Amino acid sequence: MNFYPTERVALFIDGANLYATAKSLGFDIDYKRLLRLFRDKVLLVRALYYTALADDQEYSSIRPLVDWLDYNGFSMVTKPSKEFVDGSGRRKIKGNMDIELAVDAMRLAENLDHIVIFSGDGDFRSLVAALQQMGKRVSVVSTLQTQPPMIADELRRQADQFLDLADLEKEVARTHNEAPDLH
């Protein structure tokens, strides 16, 4: 990881994308360790976590994580997911947070030196390019270690630095003998 100790850094975490990437690599993220990894290397200004929540459900499996993150150093950005029926009659749930992440990154950029985006979504390529034009360094965290890779090639090539989540596993994975800390 190429970071400077005096850099003002913010983490922009596409929650669904990071979850899918870690799962595909066979581990769970320990969010306390993830924060510590960056706090030990840079001036961490903000860690934002983006996720859609099902409004109509009495209980959501992601709710305990969202609440824990909210009380433990993450800024939560949520919106209700939308349910719809696709052309073949299948019920689908949509909860894309790309626009919220992009708007927040542009809004906070003037107070940052380095932006770290946890997503492999190629739609973020133009965001990365815009941030770079503002003089910001941009790192992207995803993986090439799956088939197919979880990161779009154009996003990886645009970023100043690509960090493979597989290479960070020892530093950010939850160990299997630990119960998840949701307090």
Side-chain angles (χ1 to χ4, degrees):
M1 289 188 357
N2 182 14
F3 289 92
Y4 304 112
T6 58
E7 280 186 311
R8 295 168 301 165
V9 174
L11 311 180
F12 293 85
I13 301 170
D14 176 343
N17 195 289
L18 179 58
Y19 175 82
T21 302
K23 278 289 174 219
S24 72
L25 292 169
F27 67 90
D28 293 318
I29 301 290
D30 180 327
Y31 290 95
K32 194 179 281 187
R33 293 180 74 197
L34 178 71
L35 270 186
R36 190 177 318 123
L37 173 66
F38 284 92
R39 283 183 175 150
D40 288 349
K41 293 186 181 314
V42 298
L43 299 173
L44 187 62
V45 174
R46 183 102 50 246
L48 298 108
Y49 187 97
Y50 297 81
T51 190
L53 297 172
D55 246 8
D56 57 347
Q57 294 177 345
E58 201 169 297
Y59 174 77
S60 168
S61 59
I62 195 169
R63 179 49 78 182
L65 174 64
V66 168
D67 290 342
W68 186 91
L69 292 171
D70 196 30
Y71 287 106
N72 287 278
F74 288 84
S75 297
M76 299 305 300
V77 182
T78 63
K79 74 177 180 185
S81 57
K82 300 213 180 342
E83 189 176 322
F84 68 98
V85 178
D86 71 7
S88 59
R90 285 187 291 242
R91 195 174 134 241
K92 300 273 190 172
I93 295 177
K94 183 178 178 188
N96 191 318
M97 298 292 293
D98 292 3
I99 295 297
E100 289 81 358
L101 190 153
V103 168
D104 287 349
M106 292 300 289
R107 193 177 340 188
L108 293 172
E110 72 180 61
N111 298 309
L112 301 170
D113 302 308
H114 196 147
I115 288 98
V116 182
I117 300 172
F118 286 77
S119 182
D121 188 334
D123 290 344
F124 288 124
R125 192 207 61 76
S126 60
L127 169 63
V128 172
L131 291 165
Q132 289 168 329
Q133 289 170 354
M134 297 169 69
K136 308 304 172 183
R137 292 187 345 120
V138 183
S139 293
V140 174
V141 181
S142 188
T143 192
L144 288 166
Q145 304 300 316
T146 55
Q147 282 304 330
M150 299 288 287
I151 185 159
D153 192 53
E154 65 272 14
L155 177 62
R156 182 179 57 82
R157 290 174 185 273
Q158 184 69 52
D160 294 299
Q161 174 176 226
F162 168 67
L163 301 170
D164 200 307
L165 188 61
D167 296 336
L168 300 177
E169 180 177 358
K170 285 186 177 75
E171 295 168 292
V172 302
R174 185 165 51 91
T175 56
H176 293 290
N177 57 358
E178 288 178 7
D181 181 3
L182 298 178
H183 295 95

